[in-house]
């Protein structure tokens, strides 16, 4: 059963659950029209999109914001899972909702899942938005080694059990600096408190780290699947990751790519500048024709 959300900013949205692909997914849904699926990153939940969701609903879309498996109020199954597994979760969720296609928007880890979904179900993903993330198989590997200037946390998080043990009881101390660095005023104190509640839940830190455990395997699978052909938009925050590097990878992964910068935003583009983002997404979805190679 759906549970209405409280708060004027999200009137008309509901929480819901669906059992798909062997996992129980929590998602938030509202609006009426073509489906838009917003896929969060780490260390966030669906809440990352809270400010953008009502604006897209007002623009005429049904907005669906799931918690990825391992995150938020979704199930946290044991064992490894790949981005293809997470994409299958969302494909089955969309089918459960009676939809045959969707506009798909990812950020951070959600970008990797969105890309895997587009590769697996190209006729289901009308337009693909990739933001604030390198893609496994198309450039991410070059940025996972701190010895060559890459990001240190990829290796640490990939050691799932160790990372979970070392951060247990220290969730706020560990996650707080990420939230501070990744945002430009888009998260309220209430948002941080809710995110902290989510990541203090049993198995939640481990579930978040699981997204990193299969990145090398994800890259092999992505390269084998080849390029996607639907229209792709690469977005980066003005204060986020460098777009030229991300765009180079996207152009290897897709045949029809354009790009833009989210003004004033850092890594959390949906929280930092929701007005600009909702307008840009609406233009992309409505003005760009769907082109698939046969």
């Amino acid at each position: 059963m759906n549970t209405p959300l409280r708060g004027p900013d999200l009137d008309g949205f509901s929480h819901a659950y669906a059992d798909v692909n062997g996992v129980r997914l929590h998602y938030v849904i509202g609006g009426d029209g073509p489906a838009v699926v917003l896929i969060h990153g780490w260390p966030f939940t669906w809440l990352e999109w809270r400010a953008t969701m009502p604006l897209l609903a007002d623009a005429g879309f049904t907005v669906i914001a799931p918690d990825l498996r391992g995150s938020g109020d979704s199930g946290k199954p044991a064992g490894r899972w790949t981005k293809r597994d997470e994409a299958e979760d969302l494909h089955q969720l969309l089918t459960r909702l009676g939809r045959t296609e969707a506009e798909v928007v990812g950020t951070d880890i959600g970008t990797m899942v969105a890309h895997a979904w587009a590769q697996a179900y190209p006729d289901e993903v009308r337009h693909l938005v990739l933001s604030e993330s390198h893609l496994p198989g198309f450039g991410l590997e070059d940025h996972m080694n701190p010895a060559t200037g890459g990001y240190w946390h990829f290796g640490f998080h990939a050691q799932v059990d160790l990372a979970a043990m070392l951060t247990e009881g220290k969730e706020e101390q560990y996650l707080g600096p990420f939230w501070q660095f990744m945002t430009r005023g888009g998260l309220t104190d209430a948002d941080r408190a809710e995110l902290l509640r989510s990541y203090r839940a049993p198995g939640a830190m481990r579930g978040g780290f699981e997204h990193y455990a299969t990145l090398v395997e994800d890259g092999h699978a992505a390269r084998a699947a080849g390029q996607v052909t639907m229209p792709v938009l690469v977005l980066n925050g003005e204060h986020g990751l460098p777009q030229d590097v991300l765009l180079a990878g996207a152009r290897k992964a897709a045949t029809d790519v354009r790009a833009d910068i989210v003004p004033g935003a850092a890594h959390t583009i949906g929280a930092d500048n929701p007005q600009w983002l909702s307008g840009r997404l609406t233009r992309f979805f409505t003005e760009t024709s769907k082109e698939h190679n046969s």
Side-chain angles (χ1 to χ4, degrees):
M1 179 178 296
N2 292 1
T3 304
L5 281 166
R6 305 302 179 188
D9 290 341
L10 286 174
D11 283 350
F13 283 81
S14 298
H15 290 278
Y17 293 86
D19 294 317
V20 293
N21 197 28
V23 65
R24 193 178 198 216
L25 286 191
H26 166 253
Y27 62 98
V28 179
I29 185 169
D32 185 24
V36 177
V37 180
L38 304 174
I39 312 175
H40 68 84
W42 183 93
F44 298 94
T45 66
W46 75 270
L47 193 71
E48 182 173 6
W49 300 108
R50 178 180 60 80
T52 302
M53 292 163 64
L55 301 175
L56 286 173
D58 288 345
F61 296 99
T62 295
V63 183
I64 306 161
D67 283 334
L68 292 170
R69 64 162 63 194
S71 299
D73 292 318
S74 286
K76 299 165 182 64
R80 303 285 93 94
W81 58 74
T82 65
K83 302 304 169 292
R84 178 65 180 80
D85 294 325
E86 296 186 70
E88 183 65 24
D89 296 345
L90 301 185
H91 157 69
Q92 292 190 21
L93 173 62
L94 192 71
T95 301
R96 180 72 60 86
L97 293 173
R99 302 281 182 157
T100 59
E101 58 184 15
E103 317 290 2
V104 175
V105 182
T107 192
D108 188 79
I109 290 291
T111 282
M112 305 178 193
V113 176
H115 177 237
W117 188 359
Q119 287 187 310
Y121 296 99
D123 291 331
E124 190 168 85
V125 177
R126 283 182 49 82
H127 298 85
L128 177 64
V129 180
L130 308 173
S131 73
E132 285 292 315
S133 178
H134 303 281
L135 291 175
F138 297 95
L140 174 65
E141 294 76 8
D142 296 334
H143 300 277
M144 290 172 56
N145 183 0
T148 56
Y151 303 107
W152 64 270
H153 68 283
F154 283 102
F156 177 60
H157 291 181
Q159 305 304 310
V160 174
D161 295 332
L162 175 64
M165 178 187 70
L166 292 177
T167 57
E168 183 178 1
K170 302 178 180 66
E171 295 86 0
E172 185 172 12
Q173 292 91 331
Y174 188 70
L175 299 178
F178 282 99
W179 292 328
Q180 182 175 1
F181 173 75
M182 289 177 168
T183 65
R184 285 295 186 277
L187 291 182
T188 66
D189 290 342
D191 291 335
R192 289 186 176 86
E194 170 58 18
L195 289 169
L196 190 57
R197 177 201 68 81
S198 295
Y199 279 94
R200 279 177 170 165
M205 290 298 284
R206 179 193 64 81
F209 296 141
E210 289 287 3
H211 297 303
Y212 293 82
T214 61
L215 289 177
V216 173
E217 180 182 349
D218 295 330
H220 294 323
R223 284 193 296 273
Q227 291 182 306
V228 297
T229 58
M230 71 285 295
V232 172
L233 174 64
V234 175
L235 292 177
N236 290 89
E238 181 181 0
H239 307 290
L241 297 178
Q243 187 178 78
D244 56 344
V245 177
L246 305 190
L247 191 54
R251 285 173 173 155
K252 295 177 182 178
T255 61
D256 182 3
V257 180
R258 66 228 63 208
D260 216 332
I261 297 291
V262 185
H267 195 59
T268 51
I269 61 173
D272 290 345
N273 197 342
Q275 290 282 355
W276 186 95
L277 179 63
S278 61
R280 185 65 182 90
L281 292 178
T282 299
R283 292 195 305 275
F284 177 54
F285 299 152
T286 57
E287 296 175 3
T288 310
S289 62
K290 181 183 179 185
E291 297 175 0
H292 287 282
N293 291 341
S294 58

